[in-house]
Amino acid sequence: MPLKKLKDEELVVENKLLPDIDSIEEIKETQSFIGRKRAVRSLIFGLDMEKSGYNIFVVGLSGTGRKTFVKHFVSEYSQKKPVPSDVAYVMDFEDPQRAKVIFLPFGRGIDFKKDMEKLVENLTEKISKVFEGEDYKVRRKEIDEEFEAEQERYTKELIEKAQKLGYLIKLTATGVNYYPLKDGKVIKEEEYINLSDEEKKFYEENERKVQLLIDAAVENVRKLESVYKERVRDLNRYALLFATEEFFSAIENKYPYSDVKEYIHKIKEDIIDKVTSTKKLQELEYYFRRAYSVNLIVDNSGLNTAPVVFEDTPTYHNLFGKIEYIEREGMLYTDFTMIRPGSIHKANGGYLILDARELLVHPFVWDRLKKVLFSGQIEVENIDTAYGYSTIATLKTEPVPLRLKVILVGTPEIYELLYEYDPDFEKLFKIKVELDWELDTTVENVKDLISFIADYTKENEILPAKKSALNKVLWYSMRLSGDRTKLSMKLGSIIDLLEEANFFAQKRNSKFIEYTDVHQALTEREERLKLIVEKYDDMFRKEDLMIDVSGKVVGQVNGLTVVNFGDFEFGLPVRITAKTYLGSSGILDIQREADLSGQIHSKAVMILTGYLGSKYARKVPFSIGVSISFEQVYGYVEGDSASLAEVLAIISAISKIPLKQSIAVTGSINQHGHIQPVGGVTEKVEGFYRICKLKGLTGNQGVIIPRANIRNLVLSDEIIEAIRAGQFHIWTADDVDEAIELMTDKPAGVMTKNYEYPRGTVNYHVVQALKHSHDMAEGKASKVRKKREHK
């Protein structure tokens, strides 16, 4: 296929697939999940699977609306799922160092918490009245008097029996003491020594009897105290239950759930214990408020669907909760009221959405998440306790069963990293949801994109866009994709463009977003980012960076590169030169020798060697040295898109036929000389046009690109106008010979069956130069041999 010059109408991106509308107001259909059919199917499957391990990883490039899509879709899906139970922690009365969990139907938790607060207030008031009542005082006095009388009787019996055995009993705060008596007086130690052996024997025998009497008396008193306490406890139980039963019955009737009933039963028993053992009513009141409160960690009263929680800062405590402490007199103190839930508690029974990158950058979070998902339950533990970094005694929480679907959102690189290096990953995240980064430019997809824009503008109160503005937005979408046959799915960038265009339309007091607003938004955005471009252009203007855009030079060609600064990329021409010399045959890549060349570029140079050898060294060896260089390029060179330019420079250097400097070249070649497509072709064309404009447009300037790259050209209006006016040109080529003919204005020449080229062609001159080089090399070698033979 011969070299082709592209016409302006071939380059205009005028989308004829747009609906026949005047403005987007006429679009009634909405589209939330544009281009997500495959992703939606995968996501639905993952959400429907109830088996453990079927958590979801949504894979997509940044800027493609991954998080928005997941949050929106899962929120809709969750509407058909029930609201989970409320969750509360309460005191475990059997072990105060543990917290017991209570489940209540959603919406009942907050009511239960408030009702328990009222119950505590009523208890304090009612209990004070009970113990201040005359009936209670009379009955308690009877029990106390009976206990004291019995205690006195045991004491009196002990004293009398001990006296008969010759011992005096004294009761002290520390216990029971006994002393020997003689003639009604206590025998002193020195007197006891002077007693006769018979008297000592009497006291020794009776001392053992007294000890037995004391032990029996103490045991009797203990039994008596036990009976006394039980009678007091029964009295308190009866009095308290009689006085408070109405409150507890109201709670149990209002909350007829097993967890609540068990909890209320424990409270009743605890009240009796505490009232019996506590003397001051104020202490009781403080204890009731603390011990009988309800720590509602999950309140689903505001939900009408299963919860959907997006945790944007998944630190350990944000995700898994924590136990807080307060300081009292230099000591740390905590209890069940200081348990704080994490996002995983709030999402339990529903869906938890996490950014995979954020998850991985916070210490211990990924490891703990895996353990929680494997165990199927969650308990609140501080990070230092969970991983053994603290020896401080702390609160233990009863585990909460976990019924949760975790959805991670991340890039393909993160997915591959986890899949490759963590064997647990594929066990826990069995569903992969892939989001495409582009769509085919079909009628249906264009319609979906326009519907998406219509939906967004209505929801966010943006001015409606005219058809001309929509056409420019579609142009921008194709520009983002780098392909006129594709629509970019970087919906975030498209939304940003609409917002900025809306800003300029409002400044004009317009009722619509028009073409001029979208164009201004794009222009202003470029102006904000193009400082580095202006610095480069200034260097080209001052010829600090040397580029010729007119004339012809041997062994020199303008290649094209793309410079990427993250948020902005642009094209720059670069001078590529080739030099030949007698010596070792082959191509010397200066960039590679200076360690400024990547593997792909090095491979491209090797392909050049194979191509040139097969094309020109069929009869004569490639006995010439060639060096190629990217002039004034001091950074790393990678890629093969300059291989067409390099081969043209080499052919020119060997044949001594000059190349046009008014034409820049981009394209990759294979060993057959076919030109292959390259990336960044739009930026490269615009970059050379910018420098030509800077140095003066002559009408002869342009760019050669691979024919396969035609669909990748999404050019600015200015360049299309320049092409239309004949000031700039774009040619497409399929093989090296087509480019040779344009760059030299000479026929390339077709190889005959005898591996020769027609006289006067470029390829003929290359072969002749190689022959001449070979003959010179052979002549020099012959002279050296003769000289040696003569010697």
Side-chain angles (χ1 to χ4, degrees):
M1 187 179 292
L3 192 77
K4 179 182 179 182
K5 181 192 292 186
L6 296 179
K7 299 178 181 179
D8 60 290
E9 58 265 22
E10 295 179 90
L11 298 171
V12 174
V13 182
E14 184 175 356
N15 201 303
K16 298 178 181 179
L17 300 178
L18 272 174
D20 186 18
I21 56 173
D22 181 57
S23 78
I24 205 166
E25 286 182 312
E26 299 173 33
I27 301 295
K28 302 302 180 185
E29 296 181 15
T30 60
Q31 174 59 265
S32 301
F33 310 126
I34 172 175
R36 310 295 198 198
K37 291 182 180 178
R38 179 188 288 106
V40 167
R41 286 198 302 270
S42 301
L43 195 53
I44 289 175
F45 176 76
L47 294 173
D48 283 344
M49 281 293 292
E50 299 292 340
K51 297 288 185 180
S52 62
Y54 281 86
N55 297 292
I56 301 167
F57 196 111
V58 178
V59 182
L61 298 179
S62 180
T64 53
R66 304 164 302 175
K67 296 175 187 175
T68 303
F69 161 68
V70 170
K71 286 190 280 189
H72 194 167
F73 185 85
V74 175
S75 295
E76 285 192 6
Y77 180 90
S78 68
Q79 293 179 6
K80 59 183 181 181
K81 297 295 182 179
V83 182
S85 302
D86 292 344
V87 183
Y89 274 113
V90 295
M91 177 179 280
D92 187 337
F93 297 105
E94 295 178 358
D95 184 1
Q97 293 302 309
R98 295 184 62 87
K100 195 170 182 61
V101 69
I102 286 181
F103 299 96
L104 297 108
F106 76 94
R108 304 306 305 277
I110 188 67
D111 294 336
F112 181 66
K113 178 180 175 69
K114 292 177 180 178
D115 287 341
M116 287 304 297
E117 290 172 356
K118 292 179 181 177
L119 174 67
V120 170
E121 293 177 3
N122 292 332
L123 280 177
T124 305
E125 182 181 352
K126 198 71 174 179
I127 289 172
S128 63
K129 291 181 179 179
V130 167
F131 294 111
E132 292 172 1
E134 289 299 323
D135 291 343
Y136 178 84
K137 288 181 179 180
V138 170
R139 186 66 185 125
R140 177 61 182 269
K141 186 178 180 181
E142 291 177 356
I143 296 174
D144 291 344
E145 289 176 350
E146 289 178 11
F147 169 71
E148 291 170 359
E150 284 295 305
Q151 192 177 37
E152 186 177 348
R153 183 173 67 81
Y154 283 128
T155 303
K156 186 178 180 181
E157 287 181 358
L158 174 61
I159 292 172
E160 290 176 351
K161 290 180 179 179
Q163 284 180 343
K164 291 180 180 178
L165 295 172
Y167 278 87
L168 173 67
I169 296 294
K170 284 187 178 182
L171 303 178
T172 67
T174 58
V176 181
N177 296 327
Y178 56 92
Y179 308 94
L181 292 174
K182 186 175 182 182
D183 301 329
K185 293 181 180 181
V186 175
I187 301 175
K188 296 180 180 180
E189 188 173 349
E190 58 273 14
E191 294 175 345
Y192 186 83
I193 295 174
N194 296 324
L195 292 177
S196 63
D197 292 339
E198 187 176 347
E199 287 178 315
K200 287 180 180 178
K201 184 178 180 181
F202 169 80
Y203 285 113
E204 287 174 358
E205 290 178 354
N206 286 346
E207 181 181 8
R208 288 193 292 271
K209 295 177 182 178
V210 169
Q211 287 177 342
L212 292 173
L213 288 174
I214 291 173
D215 291 341
V218 169
E219 183 62 27
N220 289 334
V221 169
R222 285 177 180 169
K223 291 179 180 179
L224 181 64
E225 287 178 345
S226 177
V227 172
Y228 167 74
K229 288 180 180 179
E230 189 61 35
R231 293 183 65 189
V232 171
R233 183 183 177 86
D234 290 340
L235 173 64
N236 289 341
R237 177 185 282 109
Y238 174 79
L240 290 171
L241 292 181
F242 181 79
T244 61
E245 186 59 32
E246 57 177 313
F247 305 134
F248 289 118
S249 295
I251 293 286
E252 290 177 318
N253 291 333
K254 188 174 181 179
Y255 305 97
Y257 316 117
S258 58
D259 284 356
V260 174
K261 288 182 177 180
E262 181 181 354
Y263 177 56
I264 293 300
H265 175 73
K266 295 291 185 183
I267 288 180
K268 291 179 180 179
E269 295 298 316
D270 188 65
I271 287 175
I272 296 167
D273 287 339
K274 291 300 180 292
V275 168
T276 303
S277 60
T278 304
K279 303 295 183 183
K280 297 180 181 178
L281 191 61
Q282 289 181 342
E283 293 179 4
L284 278 178
E285 183 177 356
Y286 171 77
Y287 174 80
F288 289 163
R289 291 186 183 282
R290 183 178 63 84
Y292 303 157
S293 62
V294 175
N295 183 5
L296 186 64
I297 65 167
V298 179
D299 177 14
N300 290 322
S301 59
L303 300 180
N304 50 27
T305 66
V308 178
V309 176
F310 174 72
E311 179 53 70
D312 57 353
T313 310
T315 63
Y316 185 93
H317 290 148
N318 283 355
L319 201 56
F320 305 110
K322 61 182 176 179
I323 300 174
E324 294 180 342
Y325 291 82
I326 59 174
E327 187 269 336
R328 289 179 182 171
E329 298 179 355
M331 300 290 289
L332 292 177
Y333 172 80
T334 188
D335 63 21
F336 73 95
T337 63
M338 285 180 269
I339 299 172
R340 301 293 175 257
S343 299
I344 202 166
H345 295 91
K346 298 173 185 177
N348 197 10
Y351 310 93
L352 178 62
I353 305 171
L354 301 168
D355 184 302
R357 180 185 174 279
E358 290 293 324
L359 186 75
L360 294 174
V361 299
H362 292 100
F364 300 103
V365 174
W366 173 245
D367 180 69
R368 181 65 190 276
L369 179 63
K370 291 191 299 179
K371 291 178 179 177
V372 166
L373 293 177
F374 275 127
S375 67
Q377 59 184 21
I378 176 68
E379 57 181 309
V380 182
E381 281 185 299
N382 288 347
I383 189 170
D384 53 350
T385 304
Y387 288 91
Y389 297 123
S390 173
T391 57
I392 298 175
T394 187
L395 191 71
K396 294 290 290 182
T397 60
E398 185 177 359
V400 175
L402 198 64
R403 293 187 67 253
L404 177 73
K405 188 76 70 173
V406 177
I407 304 166
L408 297 184
V409 180
T411 61
E413 293 79 11
I414 292 178
Y415 180 88
E416 291 165 11
L417 182 72
L418 289 171
Y419 194 91
E420 181 71 22
Y421 292 103
D422 191 340
D424 294 330
F425 176 70
E426 61 177 315
K427 299 176 185 177
L428 292 172
F429 291 87
K430 297 182 179 181
I431 303 298
K432 181 182 182 183
V433 177
E434 294 183 297
L435 298 183
D436 201 348
W437 57 90
E438 60 186 16
L439 298 175
D440 292 332
T441 310
T442 63
V443 174
E444 182 182 357
N445 288 336
V446 169
K447 180 183 176 183
D448 286 346
L449 181 58
I450 298 301
S451 297
F452 170 80
I453 294 172
D455 189 28
Y456 182 84
T457 54
K458 290 172 185 176
E459 283 187 6
N460 295 274
E461 299 181 354
I462 291 178
L463 293 174
K466 287 283 192 178
K467 185 175 182 179
S468 61
L470 293 174
N471 192 60
K472 192 63 176 175
V473 171
L474 289 178
W475 172 90
Y476 179 66
S477 177
M478 297 175 197
R479 173 95 172 192
L480 287 174
S481 71
D483 192 333
R484 285 187 286 168
T485 67
K486 299 290 184 180
L487 296 173
S488 173
M489 286 303 293
K490 291 185 176 179
L491 301 179
S493 298
I494 294 173
I495 287 172
D496 290 343
L497 178 61
L498 285 170
E499 293 282 5
E500 292 167 24
N502 181 68
F503 171 79
F504 292 114
Q506 289 178 334
K507 286 187 71 174
R508 294 192 302 108
N509 294 320
S510 174
K511 295 182 179 179
F512 295 92
I513 297 174
E514 300 185 13
Y515 173 88
T516 182
D517 302 309
V518 181
H519 180 75
Q520 185 176 0
L522 290 170
T523 303
E524 292 287 342
R525 179 182 295 179
E526 185 175 338
E527 287 295 324
R528 293 194 297 270
L529 300 171
K530 66 183 294 187
L531 175 62
I532 189 66
V533 180
E534 293 175 350
K535 296 298 182 184
Y536 271 107
D537 289 352
D538 190 49
M539 287 190 283
F540 280 115
R541 186 182 295 109
K542 295 175 180 178
E543 296 192 351
D544 293 334
L545 291 176
M546 294 184 287
I547 288 289
D548 293 329
V549 294
S550 61
K552 292 184 177 181
V553 180
V554 172
Q556 178 175 297
V557 66
N558 288 327
L560 295 171
T561 64
V562 176
V563 180
N564 191 321
F565 278 87
D567 57 351
F568 187 60
E569 62 181 16
F570 56 93
L572 280 180
V574 60
R575 177 178 287 178
I576 300 174
T577 59
K579 285 292 182 179
T580 61
Y581 51 88
L582 287 177
S584 58
S585 61
I587 298 176
L588 174 67
D589 179 8
I590 293 176
Q591 253 65 33
R592 181 175 60 190
E593 295 300 316
D595 287 331
L596 293 175
S597 170
Q599 293 179 345
I600 298 175
H601 181 260
S602 298
K603 176 186 175 184
V605 174
M606 294 177 188
I607 290 173
L608 291 185
T609 304
Y611 167 69
L612 292 171
S614 66
K615 187 170 185 176
Y616 299 119
R618 293 298 185 99
K619 288 189 173 182
V620 180
F622 200 96
S623 54
I624 191 171
V626 180
S627 66
I628 55 174
S629 174
F630 286 68
E631 305 294 350
Q632 293 186 288
V633 174
Y634 308 107
Y636 200 68
V637 176
E638 181 59 299
D640 61 355
S641 64
S643 56
L644 175 59
E646 289 171 314
V647 80
L648 290 174
I650 292 171
I651 290 171
S652 173
I654 296 173
S655 67
K656 307 304 180 186
I657 298 174
L659 298 173
K660 295 177 182 178
Q661 302 302 293
S662 57
I663 299 175
V665 179
T666 186
S668 164
I669 69 167
N670 61 24
Q671 292 194 104
H672 299 289
H674 298 147
I675 301 177
Q676 303 167 139
V678 294
V681 66
T682 296
E683 289 78 12
K684 292 175 179 178
V685 171
E686 291 180 346
F688 190 65
Y689 170 79
R690 192 180 68 254
I691 301 305
C692 291
K693 180 182 176 184
L694 184 72
K695 291 178 172 284
L697 292 169
T698 64
N700 298 318
Q701 294 142 334
V703 175
I704 297 175
I705 66 171
R707 197 181 306 278
N709 276 128
I710 293 176
R711 62 187 177 87
N712 301 113
L713 288 173
V714 188
L715 298 170
S716 65
D717 295 344
E718 181 183 353
I719 294 182
I720 292 175
E721 286 298 324
I723 293 172
R724 183 176 289 130
Q727 294 180 314
F728 196 75
H729 311 280
I730 298 176
W731 293 271
T732 62
D734 277 323
D735 59 55
V736 174
D737 284 347
E738 293 178 7
I740 289 174
E741 292 180 352
L742 178 63
M743 294 294 288
T744 62
D745 286 332
K746 293 180 180 295
V750 179
M751 182 185 289
T752 66
K753 293 181 180 179
N754 295 325
Y755 305 115
E756 296 178 348
Y757 291 100
R759 183 178 295 275
T761 62
V762 174
N763 292 332
Y764 172 81
H765 286 292
V766 173
V767 173
Q768 293 304 308
L770 292 176
K771 286 181 179 179
H772 179 68
S773 174
H774 177 67
D775 292 342
M776 289 183 67
E778 284 294 311
K780 185 176 180 181
S782 177
K783 288 181 180 180
V784 171
R785 284 196 302 270
K786 287 180 180 180
K787 188 175 182 180
R788 287 176 179 173
E789 289 172 359
H790 178 72
K791 288 182 178 180

